[in-house]
Amino acid sequence: EDVAKMADIEDIDFDKTLPFIREILGTLSKEAEDANTSLIGFVGAPFTLAAYTIEGKSSKDCLTSKKMMMADETGDNKAMSQFCDKLAVMIGNYGCHQIECGAQVIQVFESWAHQLSPKGFEQFAKPAAQKAIKIMKDKYPDVPVIYFANGGSSYLECQRDMGSDMIAVDWSVDMAEARKILGPDVAISGNLDPTVLFGTKEQIEEAVRDCIDKAGGPGKHLLNLGHGVMQGTPEEAVGWLVDECKRYKGK
């Protein structure tokens, strides 16, 4: 009933509902251009936003959402799939809005992928994320879209056909295994453990080289952390990572 009452998702004016986005991205895009770098926009994936909304807070088990998924599967209540579908359209259009405001790349974050089994991902998260990505790619085919399922490395094989330009992988899978699962034709980014940035300069440089080698060598993937930079990370450690990435030419 609540899902059915949602406003017409095609008629959302993001300049009215989120007026600050155009100003912020416009400013950042100029700064990025001056720094000779790219501006990455980001959106939450449909299932993750649905689960956050349903649970109302962070959740260890996502139980209310999973009960809705099970009811949806039996046909007793299709609210979960309908909600994810509506969010997919909103998110796809919002990603397009960010591009129009200056974003040059969009990353789609499935932050609650760790709550899903492979079956749950295939039934609910994947089709909704694919729909959102397709909306962005249909309208802006030359703008790269990255898909990142945090905690979803146990079902990487389900992510080969997301429709995105790149799959970002978290730090819980060995990069060589991730490359093997995704195959040579899927662009990949990741996946250093963020805590390595609390290590020594030598440990950070070794981790960088190891990740690059396992991905296929320099130029074969986009080196990144397997999640965000943690609070308290020394700034010089980030510099060591970047410097070694630029320096390393392979074995």
Side-chain angles (χ1 to χ4, degrees), residues 77-99:
N77 187 333
K78 305 298 288 184
M80 190 63 176
S81 57
Q82 291 172 4
F83 191 22
C84 286
D85 187 71
K86 284 180 176 288
L87 286 172
V89 176
M90 290 181 182
I91 291 163
N93 290 338
Y94 179 47
C96 291
H97 177 70
Q98 288 194 23
I99 294 167

Side-chain angles (χ1 to χ4, degrees), residues 14 18 21 25 39-44 87-108 132-133 135-137 139-140 143-145:
F14 293 106
L18 300 170
I21 293 296
L25 291 184
L39 178 61
I40 302 178
F42 67 91
V43 296
L87 286 172
V89 176
M90 290 181 182
I91 291 163
N93 290 338
Y94 179 47
C96 291
H97 177 70
Q98 288 194 23
I99 294 167
E100 291 157 7
C101 292
Q104 296 165 294
V105 181
I106 298 292
Q107 180 151 329
V108 180
I133 291 168
I135 289 171
M136 289 181 269
K137 294 302 297 183
K139 192 169 185 180
Y140 296 104
V143 175
V145 176

